[in-house]
């Protein structure tokens, strides 16, 4: 009984599947021929889109690049040649003797002489 179901299903669906596959293969073959025909057609019509080298940059560009480079080099040399900045430290905010808030600020570090050996021995 099961064998007869398989045989009848094969002969019922088999031709339909075969015709479906042949139809799709025919459409694929037709599409491939159309694509091949379009490629052959395009071979005769070549469009060159490669960029052409225009030569070296203009004289104005070279001059501007050299001037900008020299200005940057001069500014860097000037910054390196300047003396050390004044050392500062942060004085935090506090309340003065009148009860007003004094905001924090950067204040210069007072230059003090290092203690002599006899001063450090006393401490």
């Amino acid at each position: 009984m099961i064998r007869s179901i398989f045989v009848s299903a094969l002969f019922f669906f088999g031709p339909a599947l075969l015709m479906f596959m042949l139809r799709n293969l025919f459409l694929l073959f037709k599409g491939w021929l159309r694509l091949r025909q379009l490629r052959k057609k395009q071979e005769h019509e070549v469009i060159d889109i490669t960029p052409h080298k225009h030569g070296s940059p203009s004289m104005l560009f070279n001059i501007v690049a050299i001037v900008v480079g020299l200005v940057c080099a001069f500014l860097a040399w000037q910054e390196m040649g300047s003396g050390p900045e004044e050392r500062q430290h942060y004085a935090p905010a506090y309340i003065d003797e009148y009860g007003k808030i004094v905001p924090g600020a950067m204040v210069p570090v007072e230059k003090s002489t290092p203690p002599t050996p006899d001063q450090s021995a006393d401490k």
Side-chain angles (χ1 to χ4, degrees), residues 45-63:
E45 193 177 321
V46 176
I47 299 173
D48 186 20
I49 58 169
T50 56
H52 299 287
K53 189 171 182 176
H54 296 292
S56 63
S58 68
M59 183 64 79
L60 178 65
F61 176 80
N62 289 335
I63 291 172

Side-chain angles (χ1 to χ4, degrees), residues 55-109:
S56 63
S58 68
M59 183 64 79
L60 178 65
F61 176 80
N62 289 335
I63 291 172
V64 169
I66 290 171
V67 168
V68 168
L70 287 174
V71 167
C72 290
F74 174 74
L75 291 175
W77 174 76
Q78 188 179 16
E79 184 65 30
M80 287 173 50
S82 65
E85 293 183 15
E86 183 179 339
R87 294 192 55 193
Q88 295 184 345
H89 74 279
Y90 180 74
Y94 63 94
I95 298 177
D96 64 359
E97 62 269 4
Y98 302 109
K100 294 184 180 177
I101 297 177
V102 178
M106 296 295 288
V107 294
V109 174

